[in-house]
Amino acid sequence: MALSEMNGDGSEQEQDGCQEPDVIAMGNILESFTESQEIRGLINSLKGVYGNLGTREVTIEKFIVIMDKYQEQPHLLDSHLEWMMHLLLDVVRDNRSPSLLVHLAFKFLYIITKVRGYKIFLRLFPHEVADLQPVLDMFADQNPKDYETWETRYMLLLWLSMTCLIPFDLARLDGNILSEEGRTRMPIMDRILKVAKSYLVVSDKSRDAAAVLVSRFITRPDVKQKRMADFLDWALSTLSKSSFQTMEGTIVMDGMLQALAQLFKHGKRDDCLPYASTVLECLDNCKLSESNQTLLRKLGVKLVQRLGLTFLKPKVAKWRYQRGCRSLAANLQFSAQVPVAQNLVAAAVTAAADEEEYDIPGEVENVIEQLLIGLKDKDTIVRWSAAKGIGRITGRLPKELADDVVGSLLDCFSFQETDNSWHGGCLALAELGRRGLLLPSRIADVVPVILKALTYDEKRGACSVGSNVRDAACYVCWAFARAYDPLELKPFVNQISSALVIAAVFDRDINCRRAASAAFQENVGRQGTFPHGIDILTAADYFAVGNRVNCFLNISVYIASFPEYTQSMIDHLVNMKINHWDGVIRELSTKALHNLTPQVPEYMTDVVLPRLLPLSVGTDLHTRHGTILACAEITHALYKLAAENNRGAELRKGNKRSVTNYFNEKSLEGLKQIHQELCSCQLYRGLGGELMRLAVCTLIEKLSLSKMPFREDPIIDGWQWLINDSLRSLPLVSSTARQQIKEAAVSALAALCNEYYINEQREANPVLQGELLQQYISELQNTEEMIRCGFSLALGALPRFLLKGKLQQVLEGLKKVICISHKDVSFAESRRDGLKATAKVCQTVGVKRDGPQDEFVCKDNVIQIYTMLLNGMSDYTTDSRGDVGAWVREAAMTSLMEVTLLLVQNEPELLDANICKQIMCCVAQQSAEKIDRFRAHAGSVFLALLNFDNPPIPYIPHREELERIFPRSEAVTLNWNAPSQAFPRITQLLGLPTYQYYVLLGLTVSVGGLTETTVRYSAQSLFDYMKKIQNNLDAMNNFCETLLRVFEDNLLNDRVSVPLLKMLDQMLANGCFDIFTTEENHPFSLKLLTLCKEEIKKSKDIQKLRSSIAVFCGMIQFQGDMREKVLFQLFLLLCHPFPVIRKTTASQVYEMLITYSDIVDPDILDEVMTVLSDTNWDAELPVVREKRNYLCDLMKVPKPQLVSKSAA
């Protein structure tokens, strides 16, 4: 517990590693209190700002921000506390200060107290006799129920707790207790007690300060004689009458328990002892352990331990263990300490013999029992308080009784106990060790318990508990390192060091790994006996162990190179981690075993594998899964080790060694039997079957890669059946495991075919080849999308000898998967995997210009292949998941790049100018589109094709201009994901005729999109380009022709046309077509109007209609007959069946007339504007039509005529 809190915030950084500089930057780096002048100014300004709420809040906020900076280094304030307090108390003591100003001053005092702590701050309060009466008088003005001024009451109670310590009898301050009216005044002693009692039952923080006041006031010599018994009676009576079942009762009990705990802490033993038994009995009757209020249970434990300390004499046990030399340098020279340690032991024995005997009260047993129960509490703060209590009380017990406490403590660690009991027990052991109360004779009993706690992990439902136990066990090891002489721990060094290394490297939780690393470091420094301690610390320091993958796969290998740790690390992985409840940990553990195998191959084959094989067909699902993966990884590691040894043998001309030399017949048979056993037990079915399929497919892959001698064995058919069945079962698999099983089955198939389906002539069995391909190609037309995906990738993974003579057949099958048909339009994932498979097949078979089309990529089939891949670039399928066609386009871009690079490296003559142009234009279009991830992928493909020079790709259009726009030096730094970087570059391609159409098509969906940053940067880049060509008539004509062509080609295609209308609106508003507005009836405007009318004809799409209204209003800037035609369209929309369209049209026409006032005769402008603004366009159509026709007459625009449906 404590260790991880001391060492960091515990944030897990698995993927990106530990960012050490950031962690260091957040540390304590302040050197002094640098804002003293600013704080002085803020305090001095209180009198000027308290009356204004705004300035008051700003001043408070500034003060809090400055003070909070020193939360971690509050000691820097110490030299400044006194003047800050005096400045604020001057405000408080000034009789002219209004109450609001006084409250503000006390609020500032509380903020300082919160940072530095009340115990330090308390001592600085003025505490002369003259201060007592004014402080008491201030309480008369306080309202305990005013929740906004609780800081005032809190600070006054603290101040009173200091002033009440004046060394004079309080009765001497009363003087004549008869008041002027003749009534008796209350004595000061009673007044203070009344204040304390009244604030012990409030619900705010003043309750805590009242408890401090009680502890200091009641323990005064004069008060304890007269009032202590009465106060305790009142407190116990109040406590027994209250119930923790109600909120009010909980608050009252909290106040009483705090007061009693503080009283028994600060009071003298002789004064408190007479009442201790009564208080303990009352506390037992309260049954706080049954309360669900954590704070009450904690205070109950706190009070119990204070009572226990009261029962026992305040003396340090002479029998306790005391370590002598604490020099770190001396610890690293262990041998020099031996005589010193022996002298210490002898001294301890002598002291124990001299120990004086005395009777222990019977209540102590009750106290210890309650503290042991507190160690098992469900909340950490209660367990921590109980552990400290155990430590304090044991320090006052005789040696035999203290040993009994240790024995009872060890009972917390039985496996019948919960994780709470284990955690509390660890905290208590650490406390005993830290205080020297755990004698060396008990270490032999404690160490095995701590070793178990370091690996404690109990399954609970879908997760586990125990990380706090492991963390606390690390704290015990840390405490022992500081407490004991190296000689005492020497017999246990190997056990503790191995356990800490295992926890630091293989624990699931980052806080436990860091705690173990810190404990290991402490032992290396304090004990100096851990094997290779400095070397291991260098590799596994606090920051390095923050990354779990790095720990399992890299750090573990380095530590295992030291023979003292190798076997224990492997045993831990085999016994504790490959059957872990978390699948990620199981997989990492098996990979770690793979990496550790070269260290001790014989141990792996002789001990580990025989232990694993029976477990691989056991009853526990997680154990089966982890064991099968472990067998696969260890086998593959042994094969790689044999291959490496063989390479060395070749150099030495020695004997070669096969992987089978590592295995006996039983192990080989066991590996073969895994699949058969699982199949016969039907363990491939159900949810557990997903894990089994995944594990066995990995086993098949690793055994095949390891060239195990199973050729012609019946097990190969069984493995092939499993791969095929797994691919067919993909629709039945959960979505989370589907991708993993698909990838594992495909990888297994590739490895299996490469090893077991090839004969000595490096060819396939024709019968087997025909059956396999026929089966796989037929599955490509399955009605289940996932089955298509699986078998497409399976075809892509087949080796060349199985594709030989069947290439055309495979390509035809994949072509049917890739093409979009009416019945499988939503099968985007199968089209994606079909494209990936096509590229893989091409890479597998290779290129030969004049070769047969059934065996190579050649001149006869290259056009067919490119057509398949380019078709994928136009897939814009959408469904409930969104733009699923983007997956297909991404796969198509990758496949085009792979095939093109394959061709250019082998047979560049097969590439022609048209293909290269299509590839570059399609990729350029994708690099201008709206989805960041796919735009980034397109950009990287575009630059990869452009910059490839081994040899360069021929026929890339405008290569020189492209290399100027995208310099090679910036290829790595250009972030295509960021719209601010991508669009300014990609819009420059609008100036290249070949790319203009495609880039504009891509830009259209970006500029007219929804994402704010994409729209902003794409639109700005487009406008910047338009500004450059504004005065170039030819460039403008070309651009506008292209724009109209994009519109015409995508008419009624909402994916493009709606964003296009939005883009046109922005372009018109930004004056992009100003060059054409001076010419009457320009062809561009006429064509654009025709296309817009066609686009919205009979449309019911609100978004499209709204965008068209904005475009029509923007087109009013064109001269000639255009204006009348545009107004006619707008007036048509004023009587649209949808009220929202009518209102939008009226609103935008109103704004248009304000912007372009020359459209209407000034004489009628006001009337037109009035009609537009005052008419209720939500009204019935006949009413609206009458208003619309009136506007037509005013503006001399032909009235739209109603057309009957029959005529239409």
Side-chain angles (χ1 to χ4, degrees):
M1 183 198 103
L3 216 57
S4 63
E5 289 174 2
M6 277 188 277
N7 288 327
D9 59 359
S11 56
E12 187 91 45
Q13 297 180 20
E14 297 298 347
Q15 300 302 319
D16 300 323
C18 284
Q19 300 175 8
E20 185 171 339
D22 291 347
V23 177
I24 293 172
M26 291 164 60
N28 301 335
I29 55 172
L30 302 171
E31 294 181 357
S32 63
F33 183 50
T34 54
E35 292 91 349
S36 60
Q37 292 304 317
E38 190 175 349
I39 290 292
R40 192 183 292 272
L42 287 172
I43 295 173
N44 289 331
S45 70
L46 293 184
K47 292 181 181 179
V49 303
Y50 77 91
N52 184 292
L53 177 63
T55 54
R56 184 168 75 239
E57 287 185 349
V58 168
T59 305
I60 293 171
E61 193 60 35
K62 283 182 181 176
F63 194 77
I64 290 173
V65 168
I66 293 171
M67 298 307 293
D68 281 353
K69 283 170 57 179
Y70 297 90
Q71 285 277 18
E72 293 186 22
Q73 295 172 277
H75 60 276
L76 297 177
L77 300 176
D78 287 355
S79 59
H80 303 270
L81 292 176
E82 198 165 349
W83 65 258
M84 285 194 279
M85 174 180 277
H86 287 318
L87 282 176
L88 289 165
L89 288 183
D90 287 345
V91 174
V92 171
R93 286 165 160 166
D94 188 346
N95 294 328
R96 295 169 299 174
S97 297
S99 61
L100 196 59
L101 179 57
V102 171
H103 289 316
L104 189 56
F106 275 122
K107 189 179 185 74
F108 272 45
L109 280 171
Y110 169 72
I111 292 166
I112 301 168
T113 310
K114 182 186 72 171
V115 174
R116 189 59 187 107
Y118 80 87
K119 292 178 184 177
I120 301 292
F121 204 60
L122 198 61
R123 300 195 293 260
L124 301 175
F125 273 114
H127 46 275
E128 297 176 3
V129 176
D131 294 308
L132 183 57
Q133 191 66 42
V135 174
L136 268 175
D137 291 342
M138 284 189 206
F139 278 104
D141 302 327
Q142 299 304 312
N143 176 11
K145 294 182 180 178
D146 184 357
Y147 66 91
E148 290 187 346
T149 59
W150 62 266
E151 293 102 334
T152 302
R153 302 188 292 278
Y154 177 79
M155 296 310 300
L156 279 173
L157 285 164
L158 288 180
W159 192 0
L160 184 58
S161 68
M162 198 64 200
T163 54
C164 75
L165 295 179
I166 53 175
F168 303 105
D169 192 320
L170 292 177
R172 296 171 61 186
L173 303 179
D174 292 330
N176 182 10
I177 60 172
L178 286 174
S179 64
E180 294 176 3
E181 292 83 8
R183 289 177 301 178
T184 304
R185 283 193 296 114
M186 187 182 290
I188 283 181
M189 187 183 296
D190 291 343
R191 288 178 66 190
I192 295 174
L193 203 54
K194 182 183 177 183
V195 167
K197 286 181 178 181
S198 65
Y199 283 102
L200 277 176
V201 294
V202 297
S203 59
D204 55 44
K205 195 171 172 62
S206 306
R207 189 172 66 245
D208 302 351
V212 175
L213 172 60
V214 165
S215 69
R216 291 168 179 268
F217 180 66
I218 298 291
T219 53
R220 281 178 56 96
D222 52 343
V223 178
K224 70 186 176 190
Q225 293 174 7
K226 301 175 183 177
R227 299 288 186 268
M228 187 171 187
D230 293 342
F231 176 80
L232 287 172
D233 283 345
W234 172 79
L236 295 179
S237 171
T238 307
L239 194 61
S240 58
K241 290 176 186 174
S242 303
S243 168
F244 51 71
Q245 302 290 348
T246 64
M247 199 65 228
E248 293 80 5
T250 301
I251 290 168
V252 171
M253 292 183 82
D254 179 276
M256 298 304 118
L257 290 170
Q258 279 202 64
L260 290 169
Q262 292 273 16
L263 188 57
F264 278 89
K265 178 179 180 179
H266 295 291
K268 290 181 180 177
R269 177 174 181 266
D270 294 338
D271 299 332
C272 297
L273 188 56
Y275 311 105
S277 298
T278 311
V279 174
L280 183 61
E281 185 181 348
C282 178
L283 194 60
D284 288 344
N285 294 333
C286 288
K287 296 181 179 178
L288 290 176
S289 58
E290 298 174 10
S291 169
N292 60 358
Q293 296 290 330
T294 305
L295 205 54
L296 290 186
R297 297 200 307 278
K298 181 203 170 187
L299 289 170
V301 167
K302 202 180 191 69
L303 180 53
V304 162
Q305 63 169 287
R306 290 298 168 196
L307 292 170
L309 293 171
T310 304
F311 288 124
L312 296 167
K313 290 183 179 179
K315 60 179 226 171
V316 177
K318 293 181 180 178
W319 54 265
R320 71 191 177 100
Y321 176 82
Q322 289 182 310
R323 181 178 177 183
C325 179
R326 294 298 183 104
S327 165
L328 293 178
N331 289 335
L332 298 175
Q333 298 168 356
F334 175 65
S335 57
Q337 287 192 339
V338 175
V340 177
Q342 289 170 344
N343 293 337
L344 286 171
V345 173
V349 171
T350 307
D354 296 340
E355 182 178 346
E356 111 180 61
E357 295 291 333
Y358 68 95
D359 291 332
I360 302 297
E363 291 89 349
V364 171
E365 186 177 349
N366 180 11
V367 167
I368 292 173
E369 184 181 351
Q370 289 198 43
L371 291 176
L372 287 171
I373 292 171
L375 289 177
K376 302 176 184 180
D377 194 90
K378 64 181 181 180
D379 285 296
T380 301
I381 59 169
V382 182
R383 298 196 293 270
W384 183 233
S385 184
K388 288 191 286 188
I390 290 281
R392 287 170 180 146
I393 288 174
T394 307
R396 296 189 183 183
L397 292 174
K399 182 177 178 181
E400 292 75 16
L401 290 179
D403 195 60
D404 289 344
V405 172
V406 174
S408 301
L409 199 54
L410 291 175
D411 292 339
C412 291
F413 296 97
S414 73
F415 277 99
Q416 284 77 36
E417 296 288 357
T418 64
D419 59 301
N420 296 331
S421 177
W422 279 68
H423 182 245
C426 285
L427 295 178
L429 284 177
E431 277 298 302
L432 293 178
R434 209 166 56 82
R435 295 168 182 268
L437 304 174
L438 195 63
L439 294 177
S441 58
R442 272 292 192 176
I443 295 178
D445 300 322
V446 170
V447 167
V449 167
I450 298 307
L451 296 181
K452 287 179 185 176
L454 280 168
T455 57
Y456 185 91
D457 195 14
E458 286 292 311
K459 185 85 162 57
R460 292 275 175 86
C463 57
S464 75
V465 295
S467 62
N468 58 341
V469 177
R470 301 194 300 276
D471 193 18
C474 294
Y475 175 46
V476 178
C477 295
W478 179 87
F480 281 12
R482 302 169 73 90
Y484 293 104
D485 193 89
L487 191 65
E488 309 292 356
L489 290 179
K490 187 179 180 182
F492 312 101
V493 159
N494 286 336
Q495 292 172 274
I496 296 173
S497 61
S498 296
L500 284 175
V501 158
I502 286 166
V505 175
F506 293 139
D507 200 283
R508 180 177 181 271
D509 295 288
I510 185 172
N511 61 316
C512 295
R513 293 198 301 274
R514 286 179 162 171
S517 175
F520 189 90
Q521 179 178 352
E522 195 70 20
N523 275 277
V524 170
R526 301 280 178 184
Q527 297 288 311
T529 53
F530 275 24
H532 311 286
I534 299 295
D535 295 331
I536 291 171
L537 268 182
T538 306
D541 64 15
Y542 176 83
F543 298 108
V545 298
N547 187 305
R548 189 164 62 194
V549 175
N550 184 43
C551 284
F552 271 82
L553 304 186
N554 300 323
I555 298 175
S556 64
V557 178
Y558 173 74
I559 296 175
S561 65
F562 303 116
E564 293 89 343
Y565 301 100
T566 312
Q567 191 171 321
S568 60
M569 291 173 74
I570 291 171
D571 288 342
H572 174 79
L573 289 172
V574 171
N575 296 329
M576 303 289 293
K577 286 296 187 284
I578 62 171
N579 58 358
H580 197 271
W581 62 271
D582 186 348
V584 175
I585 296 296
R586 294 198 297 273
E587 291 173 17
L588 279 173
S589 301
T590 59
K591 290 174 183 174
L593 284 171
H594 176 281
N595 292 349
L596 297 180
T597 298
Q599 307 278 2
V600 280
E602 289 78 14
Y603 183 72
M604 289 293 193
T605 52
D606 300 341
V607 179
V608 175
L609 268 179
R611 197 191 307 172
L612 291 176
L613 287 171
L615 297 174
S616 63
V617 289
T619 54
D620 183 68
L621 173 63
H622 292 156
T623 304
R624 284 202 310 273
H625 177 244
T627 305
I628 294 169
L629 290 176
C631 290
E633 293 290 353
I634 291 170
T635 305
H636 193 216
L638 290 170
Y639 164 74
K640 291 201 284 190
L641 183 63
E644 192 176 325
N645 291 339
N646 288 341
R647 284 194 291 273
E650 284 178 9
L651 295 174
R652 297 190 306 270
K653 298 184 179 178
N655 294 326
K656 293 187 178 181
R657 195 175 185 190
S658 167
V659 67
T660 52
N661 295 132
Y662 287 111
F663 297 94
N664 55 34
E665 283 297 323
K666 190 175 179 183
S667 296
L668 286 173
E669 195 60 31
L671 289 170
K672 275 201 293 186
Q673 290 298 319
I674 290 174
H675 164 68
Q676 294 169 348
E677 290 284 341
L678 295 176
C679 198
S680 61
C681 296
Q682 298 186 338
L683 293 175
Y684 289 128
R685 297 185 177 184
L687 288 175
E690 296 178 3
L691 282 178
M692 289 301 96
R693 289 178 185 278
L694 188 59
V696 178
C697 284
T698 305
L699 179 70
I700 294 168
E701 179 191 4
K702 298 298 183 184
L703 293 182
S704 301
L705 292 173
S706 303
K707 302 187 183 299
M708 300 301 281
F710 300 151
R711 192 181 292 272
E712 308 297 333
D713 195 291
I715 192 62
I716 301 301
D717 293 334
W719 288 354
Q720 182 67 58
W721 171 85
L722 176 66
I723 291 169
N724 295 346
D725 191 61
S726 296
L727 293 173
R728 286 195 191 94
S729 304
L730 286 174
L732 308 175
V733 173
S734 63
S735 57
T736 51
R738 190 175 291 155
Q739 186 66 21
Q740 288 179 301
I741 292 177
K742 181 170 65 175
E743 290 172 0
V746 169
S747 300
L749 176 69
L752 182 74
C753 293
N754 271 316
E755 181 58 28
Y756 299 114
Y757 288 168
I758 190 168
N759 59 25
E760 294 175 358
Q761 289 76 38
R762 311 299 295 168
E763 293 180 352
N765 180 331
V767 177
L768 184 146
Q769 179 190 20
E771 289 177 357
L772 190 68
L773 286 170
Q774 184 60 41
Q775 182 183 2
Y776 280 19
I777 291 170
S778 65
E779 293 289 0
L780 296 180
Q781 291 305 300
N782 199 293
T783 53
E784 286 287 350
E785 181 183 17
M786 284 301 115
I787 295 178
R788 291 190 183 191
C789 290
F791 283 98
S792 296
L793 291 175
L795 281 171
L798 292 178
R800 188 177 187 283
F801 64 85
L802 280 173
L803 294 170
K804 189 176 181 181
K806 304 285 185 180
L807 176 60
Q808 205 57 34
Q809 191 179 343
V810 170
L811 289 175
E812 288 296 332
L814 289 172
K815 183 179 179 181
K816 291 176 183 176
V817 175
I818 294 168
C819 290
I820 302 177
S821 62
H822 179 70
K823 63 180 181 180
D824 56 19
V825 67
S826 63
F827 287 8
E829 289 178 80
S830 66
R831 293 196 290 277
R832 174 198 65 194
D833 290 345
L835 287 163
K836 289 180 181 177
T838 303
K840 293 293 181 190
V841 166
C842 293
Q843 289 174 309
T844 303
V845 299
V847 185
K848 192 172 183 181
R849 186 173 182 275
D850 297 316
Q853 63 177 355
D854 260 345
E855 293 187 24
F856 297 98
V857 176
C858 60
K859 62 182 180 181
D860 296 326
N861 59 17
V862 70
I863 300 297
Q864 174 194 356
I865 292 167
Y866 269 113
T867 304
M868 290 165 60
L869 299 179
L870 286 166
N871 281 342
M873 296 292 284
S874 57
D875 192 324
Y876 285 92
T877 310
T878 56
D879 62 13
S880 58
R881 295 168 293 180
D883 183 7
V884 292
W887 301 335
V888 184
R889 301 197 300 277
E890 182 182 30
M893 286 187 281
T894 306
S895 301
L896 281 168
M897 179 178 71
E898 290 171 351
V899 172
T900 303
L901 296 183
L902 176 71
L903 290 175
V904 81
Q905 287 175 299
N906 295 282
E907 298 283 356
E909 300 85 7
L910 289 176
L911 287 170
D912 64 32
N914 185 45
I915 287 175
C916 289
K917 175 191 167 187
Q918 285 185 67
I919 294 170
M920 296 303 289
C921 288
C922 288
V923 175
Q925 178 188 331
Q926 296 302 314
S927 64
E929 290 208 351
K930 61 183 177 181
I931 304 175
D932 290 348
R933 184 166 75 86
F934 299 111
R935 183 176 66 247
H937 183 70
S940 64
V941 169
F942 190 83
L943 293 186
L945 294 171
L946 177 64
N947 295 332
F948 189 78
D949 52 9
N950 190 25
I953 296 172
Y955 310 121
I956 290 183
H958 305 288
R959 177 185 281 276
E960 290 181 7
E961 292 91 333
L962 291 177
E963 288 178 345
R964 190 175 63 252
I965 295 169
F966 302 104
R968 286 181 184 240
S969 58
E970 297 177 16
V972 178
T973 57
L974 179 58
N975 181 10
W976 287 91
N977 260 318
S980 57
Q981 294 188 40
F983 285 110
R985 299 294 180 91
I986 205 68
T987 47
Q988 294 181 48
L989 270 62
L990 290 170
L992 307 177
T994 307
Y995 298 101
Q996 189 176 63
Y997 177 88
Y998 297 92
V999 173
L1000 187 56
L1001 182 55
L1003 271 176
T1004 298
V1005 294
S1006 295
V1007 177
L1010 297 173
T1011 309
E1012 193 267 336
T1013 51
T1014 305
V1015 171
R1016 182 167 77 245
Y1017 289 110
S1018 58
Q1020 189 56 52
S1021 301
L1022 177 62
F1023 299 152
D1024 290 345
Y1025 171 76
M1026 296 299 293
K1027 201 176 291 182
K1028 286 180 187 174
I1029 64 168
Q1030 195 61 232
N1031 298 319
N1032 185 336
L1033 189 58
D1034 291 338
M1036 281 296 295
N1037 282 329
N1038 289 335
F1039 178 86
C1040 291
E1041 283 175 22
T1042 307
L1043 180 62
L1044 293 172
R1045 190 150 53 94
V1046 168
F1047 200 166
E1048 198 166 6
D1049 292 348
N1050 293 279
L1051 210 59
L1052 305 181
N1053 174 8
D1054 288 356
R1055 183 190 69 81
V1056 178
S1057 60
V1058 174
L1060 181 59
L1061 289 170
K1062 291 181 180 177
M1063 182 179 79
L1064 283 168
D1065 171 33
Q1066 293 186 59
M1067 294 179 78
L1068 288 163
N1070 275 273
C1072 292
F1073 305 114
D1074 284 354
I1075 193 171
F1076 299 142
T1077 55
T1078 54
E1079 184 180 337
E1080 289 195 9
N1081 300 328
H1082 192 278
F1084 168 69
S1085 59
L1086 295 171
K1087 178 75 171 175
L1088 183 58
L1089 179 64
T1090 305
L1091 291 171
C1092 288
K1093 285 162 61 178
E1094 192 66 29
E1095 181 63 38
I1096 64 168
K1097 190 175 180 181
K1098 298 182 181 178
S1099 175
K1100 295 181 180 179
D1101 184 338
I1102 299 290
Q1103 189 183 8
K1104 183 188 289 187
L1105 289 166
R1106 278 181 157 170
S1107 300
S1108 68
I1109 294 166
V1111 173
F1112 287 138
C1113 288
M1115 289 174 67
I1116 203 75
Q1117 59 190 286
F1118 291 106
Q1119 304 291 331
D1121 297 341
M1122 269 296 297
R1123 289 192 169 179
E1124 186 177 308
K1125 292 177 180 178
V1126 166
L1127 288 171
F1128 182 80
Q1129 285 300 317
L1130 289 169
F1131 288 157
L1132 264 179
L1133 290 167
L1134 273 177
C1135 285
H1136 195 276
F1138 296 165
V1140 67
I1141 298 301
R1142 300 200 293 271
K1143 286 169 67 178
T1144 304
T1145 307
S1147 171
Q1148 296 211 18
V1149 169
Y1150 187 93
E1151 292 173 11
M1152 177 189 78
L1153 293 176
I1154 293 173
T1155 308
Y1156 304 103
S1157 54
D1158 61 322
I1159 300 167
V1160 183
D1161 191 328
D1163 297 337
I1164 60 168
L1165 180 60
D1166 289 345
E1167 191 173 352
V1168 170
M1169 302 288 267
T1170 303
V1171 172
L1172 286 169
S1173 60
D1174 291 354
T1175 302
N1176 178 15
W1177 297 102
D1178 283 342
E1180 295 296 324
L1181 272 175
V1183 178
V1184 171
R1185 192 173 289 117
E1186 184 182 335
K1187 293 288 185 182
R1188 191 272 315 272
N1189 290 342
Y1190 177 60
L1191 284 174
C1192 290
D1193 293 338
L1194 279 174
M1195 298 181 68
K1196 298 182 175 57
V1197 176
K1199 297 176 190 173
Q1201 299 297 317
L1202 275 174
V1203 180
S1204 65
K1205 287 187 178 180
S1206 57

